[in-house]
Amino acid sequence: MNLDFRSDNVAGVSPAIMAALERANSGSDSSYGGDAVTARLTARLRELFETDCAVFPVATGTAANALALASAAPPYGLIYCHHEAHIANDECGAPEFFTGGARLVGLEGDHAKINAAALAAAVAAAGVGEQHHMQPAAVSISQASERGAVYGVDDVAALGDVARRHNLVLHMDGARFANAVAALECSPAAASWKAGVDVLSFGATKNGAMAAEAVIFFRPDLARDALFRRKRGGHLLSKMRFLSAQLEAYVTGDLWLANARHANAMARRLADGLARLPGARLADPAQANEVFVYLPDAMARALEGEGAKFHRWGMDGLVRLVTSFATEAASVDGFLAAAARAVPRAI
Ligand SMILES: Cc1ncc(COP(=O)(O)O)c(C=O)c1O
């Protein structure tokens, strides 16, 4: 039984996406994004998001975030984010590098979400217009958050209001945007530009693609230099149709949401089961496809002894479990059964 809950990246590729790659592999087509698949993808994303957005496929989430933020902030800009944000901790300084030196400012907030009041206070303290200080330029939020929580549409809109008031670009790191939209049960437009998001890193890799994300600009002025930044950043794939084919299959029909709904349901099943176990305590609300839970060390070790895989998130017993489109209910139940067997040793 597969008890691998380390990440959504440990899963394979959705069969429909693999089939789309196979289809893209016949005949020939134009290179560097001039192909028919990329044109169809752009049209489909405009339809899905109900607006004339600009679409730039790239191969990794780090590239998507770096490209989005480079378009949003000058070298002397401040980019506000949660202090646990992927852009701040897990991208090896790519946002700073691609912006040419912008600084990330880590804010506090429960469940790795920032809030409008904290953002407004940080901007007020920044010294706007003061020549000695770096200048507020952008705010970046992870949807879903790094602790498996989901910003409500109103939360995003409140951050969007502060951003607009202070002329900040609102970027959404949507590596798990599908999981968030599935949880919110709203339209992708409502979850993004209608709530004030200016640029979205639209993730697919964690939710069934092989390696494909798209930077989606909802403000044409921000997209002006993106062609050149993407090329300079090494993400203008000569055989772009293979990136676009993944994304096209992903947003055709309901695949992206069906995958996300399944992953979320598996996380809920896991979280509910763990919440019932003596000794285990949920740390965050598990609204998307990640479960953060405190486990007694004896239980964590017993689970590892039975072949379960997960990340220990710090030294205090916090554990991260991630589900995906490919997670089977039997794996969740197997994990919970193994955890239950460990209860007598753990409490
Ligand atoms: C919140 C978030 N953003 C972005 C990424 C994308 O990272 P990568 O460059 O590995 O595709 C990840 C992957 O872990 C993530 O969790």
Side-chain angles (χ1 to χ4, degrees):
M1 185 186 301
N2 187 346
L3 298 179
D4 191 348
F5 293 94
R6 285 173 297 172
S7 172
D8 29 19
N9 287 331
V10 301
V13 176
S14 267
I17 292 178
M18 217 42 143
L21 282 166
E22 191 67 44
R23 279 196 304 282
N25 199 30
S26 70
S28 65
D29 205 338
S30 304
S31 48
Y32 298 110
D35 59 277
V37 191
T38 302
R40 286 201 307 268
L41 167 68
T42 301
R44 170 66 187 133
L45 284 171
R46 286 177 178 165
E47 176 189 52
L48 186 66
F49 279 91
E50 305 171 57
T51 188
D52 255 355
C53 46
V55 175
F56 294 84
V58 293
T60 69
T62 298
N65 288 339
L67 175 57
L69 292 170
S71 304
Y76 52 85
L78 296 173
I79 300 170
Y80 299 97
C81 60
H82 194 274
H83 67 86
E84 290 184 47
H86 199 267
I87 57 168
N89 296 303
D90 299 297
E91 300 190 354
C92 200
E96 292 91 330
F97 181 68
F98 282 93
T99 54
R103 179 184 298 159
L104 302 186
V105 181
L107 303 179
E108 297 292 331
D110 292 344
H111 312 305
K113 295 194 293 185
I114 60 171
N115 59 70
L119 176 62
V123 176
V128 174
E130 167 58 57
Q131 65 179 343
H132 299 289
H133 296 295
M134 294 183 84
Q135 295 297 298
V139 52
S140 178
I141 56 177
S142 305
Q143 180 72 310
S145 85
E146 275 76 8
R147 288 297 198 95
V150 173
Y151 286 89
V153 171
D154 290 349
D155 303 331
V156 178
L159 287 161
D161 281 347
V162 177
R164 228 180 349 271
R165 246 193 340 268
H166 297 283
N167 213 15
L168 310 179
V169 172
L170 177 53
H171 166 247
M172 180 176 275
D173 174 355
R176 298 187 178 87
F177 183 71
N179 304 90
V181 171
L184 291 169
E185 297 183 17
C186 69
S187 71
S192 57
W193 65 272
K194 286 186 178 172
V197 174
D198 298 307
V199 52
L200 168 69
S201 299
F202 180 68
T205 307
K206 293 177 183 302
N207 191 35
M210 182 184 287
E213 323 271 312
V215 184
I216 302 181
F217 291 96
F218 300 112
R219 262 176 53 186
D221 59 312
L222 294 176
R224 207 180 40 229
D225 299 329
L227 275 182
F228 312 110
R229 292 187 196 280
R230 179 176 61 176
K231 174 66 185 182
R232 195 172 157 91
H235 277 260
L236 177 60
L237 271 69
S238 58
K239 295 185 181 177
M240 184 66 81
R241 66 186 182 281
F242 291 99
L243 275 192
S244 299
Q246 296 175 59
L247 290 162
E248 188 189 26
Y250 185 63
V251 292
T252 294
D254 210 21
L255 181 66
W256 70 295
L257 285 177
N259 279 359
R261 282 189 200 110
H262 176 80
N264 289 3
M266 291 301 101
R268 175 93 334 261
R269 188 180 182 111
L270 196 51
D272 289 347
L274 287 167
R276 285 194 289 270
L277 278 186
R281 182 168 60 85
L282 291 181
D284 296 283
Q287 291 165 323
N289 67 321
E290 295 181 286
V291 179
F292 287 83
V293 59
Y294 291 102
L295 295 181
D297 191 54
M299 185 182 285
R301 277 189 281 112
L303 282 160
E304 285 164 344
E306 296 211 33
K309 293 179 180 167
F310 47 83
H311 283 300
R312 291 176 184 251
W313 218 252
M315 307 295 289
D316 55 354
L318 184 61
V319 154
R320 186 188 80 163
L321 303 161
V322 189
T323 56
S324 78
F325 74 96
T327 302
E328 292 176 1
S331 297
V332 172
D333 296 346
F335 185 92
L336 292 172
R341 281 194 292 281
V343 167
R345 266 178 289 164
I347 57 171

